[in-house]
């Protein structure tokens, strides 16, 4: 079964450092997402990406965050200068399109970010 | 605006039933239900696209009341494997899902 792949599975970084989280969405999917989950809390939307540009973003997704699709397969989330409160599990997700059955989000296994 | 889930937590004995509710203050285009095991990614359970739609998957089913802007997830004859956190995700005809706060379900033997 096709899956969304995320790397690294866990990253530990010092406050103020830049971090890049990588995702390989399902190959024929068109919409890509980043969500964040602070330990024990709900899954929070960060950003959606379609047709090589951001389509929606939340208040959490401030100037410290950026996303890119540098080639045909990877989808990255960059945090420029990490803060302690950025510690969370970051989930990448993708979905196919607008037709029925293609609305389902498939999540990756997540990248745990720990900021010290 | 995120949907509201209730209850926040449920403890069941194996074989008991549970209902998890999800309501939104905005009109809903669709409702998605996911289950998340500890330390894992959310896993898709089902999607409801039309008002009045009901779906079932094994002993887990859901309904969608478009007028009331709410959905319910029904777990019957619960099994140990049902334990986890259940999230509803609502789609307001935008491009993303907004998740509720989650309902922690624990099934005990």
């Amino acid at each position: 079964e096709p899956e969304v792949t995320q790397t690294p599975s866990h990253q530990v970084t010092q406050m103020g450092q830049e971090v890049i989280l990588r995702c390989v969405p399902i190959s024929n999917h068109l919409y890509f997402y980043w969500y964040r989950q602070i330990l024990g809390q709900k899954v929070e939307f960060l950003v959606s990406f379609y047709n090589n540009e951001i389509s929606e973003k939340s208040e959490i997704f401030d100037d410290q965050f950026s996303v890119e699709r540098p080639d045909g397969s990877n989808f990255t989330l960059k945090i420029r200068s990490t803060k302690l409160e950025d510690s969370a599990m970051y989930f990448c997700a993708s979905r196919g399109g607008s037709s029925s059955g293609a609305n389902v989000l498939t999540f990756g296994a997540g990248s745990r970010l720990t900021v010290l | 605006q995120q949907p509201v889930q209730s209850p926040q937590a449920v403890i069941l004995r194996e074989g008991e039933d549970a209902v998890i509710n999800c309501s939104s203050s905005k009109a809903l285009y669709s409702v998605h239900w996911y289950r998340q095991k500890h330390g894992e990614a959310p896993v898709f359970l089902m999607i409801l696209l039309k008002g009045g739609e009901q779906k079932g998957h094994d002993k887990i089913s859901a309904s969608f009341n478009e007028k009331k802007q709410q959905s319910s997830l029904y777990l019957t004859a619960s099994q140990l494997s049902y334990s986890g956190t259940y999230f509803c995700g609502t789609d307001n005809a935008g491009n993303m899902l907004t998740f509720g706060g989650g309902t922690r379900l624990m099934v005990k033997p």
Side-chain angles (χ1 to χ4, degrees):
Chain A
E1 191 171 325
E3 56 180 28
V4 175
T5 308
Q6 288 186 242
T7 54
S9 55
H10 188 193
Q11 179 150 1
V12 181
T13 190
Q14 295 290 325
M15 196 167 58
Q17 294 295 303
E18 176 183 284
V19 158
I20 297 176
L21 305 178
R22 291 182 169 80
C23 170
V24 179
I26 293 173
S27 62
N28 61 347
H29 280 187
L30 302 175
Y31 296 84
F32 314 113
Y33 303 83
W34 283 102
Y35 282 82
R36 178 182 85 175
Q37 187 177 34
I38 294 170
L39 187 64
Q41 299 186 24
K42 69 180 174 75
V43 178
E44 299 175 292
F45 169 76
L46 291 178
V47 66
S48 61
F49 195 85
Y50 171 72
N51 203 24
N52 284 320
E53 59 183 25
I54 290 174
S55 46
E56 286 184 78
K57 59 182 181 178
S58 70
E59 290 173 356
I60 303 168
F61 194 87
D62 61 23
D63 292 344
Q64 292 299 314
F65 291 88
S66 63
V67 288
E68 240 187 359
R69 195 144 192 258
D71 51 44
S73 58
N74 289 286
F75 178 50
T76 62
L77 174 70
K78 183 194 290 188
I79 309 174
R80 285 191 190 82
S81 177
T82 49
K83 303 187 279 274
L84 294 176
E85 54 265 35
D86 292 329
S87 294
M89 183 74 95
Y90 288 80
F91 290 107
C92 174
S94 69
R95 71 176 176 95
S98 57
S99 62
S100 175
N103 274 331
V104 174
L105 282 185
T106 301
F107 283 87
S111 292
R112 179 166 296 287
L113 176 65
T114 302
V115 182
L116 302 176
Chain B
Q1 197 162 2
Q2 70 173 75
V4 176
Q5 283 186 239
S6 62
Q8 289 186 322
V10 184
I11 299 175
L12 298 175
R13 291 280 176 201
E14 227 177 336
E16 291 181 338
D17 302 340
V19 180
I20 300 171
N21 299 303
C22 173
S23 63
S24 172
S25 58
K26 288 185 173 183
L28 298 176
Y29 178 71
S30 65
V31 178
H32 305 223
W33 286 96
Y34 285 78
R35 177 171 62 208
Q36 185 180 33
K37 302 274 187 179
H38 182 68
E40 299 179 10
V43 173
F44 172 76
L45 293 176
M46 64 189 79
I47 179 174
L48 299 111
L49 293 170
K50 291 180 278 194
E53 184 171 20
Q54 296 191 358
K55 276 196 175 170
H57 172 66
D58 199 6
K59 290 194 171 70
I60 300 174
S61 61
S63 63
F64 178 22
N65 188 323
E66 199 173 7
K67 267 189 180 175
K68 292 185 179 179
Q69 295 169 186
Q70 57 187 220
S71 174
S72 295
L73 186 72
Y74 307 93
L75 301 107
T76 55
S78 57
Q79 305 166 18
L80 296 176
S81 61
Y82 287 2
S83 292
T85 301
Y86 289 78
F87 291 98
C88 69
T90 54
D91 173 2
N92 305 112
N95 193 20
M96 86 293 190
L97 285 186
T98 304
F99 287 95
T103 297
R104 283 185 177 79
L105 180 76
M106 184 186 298
V107 181
K108 293 186 171 181

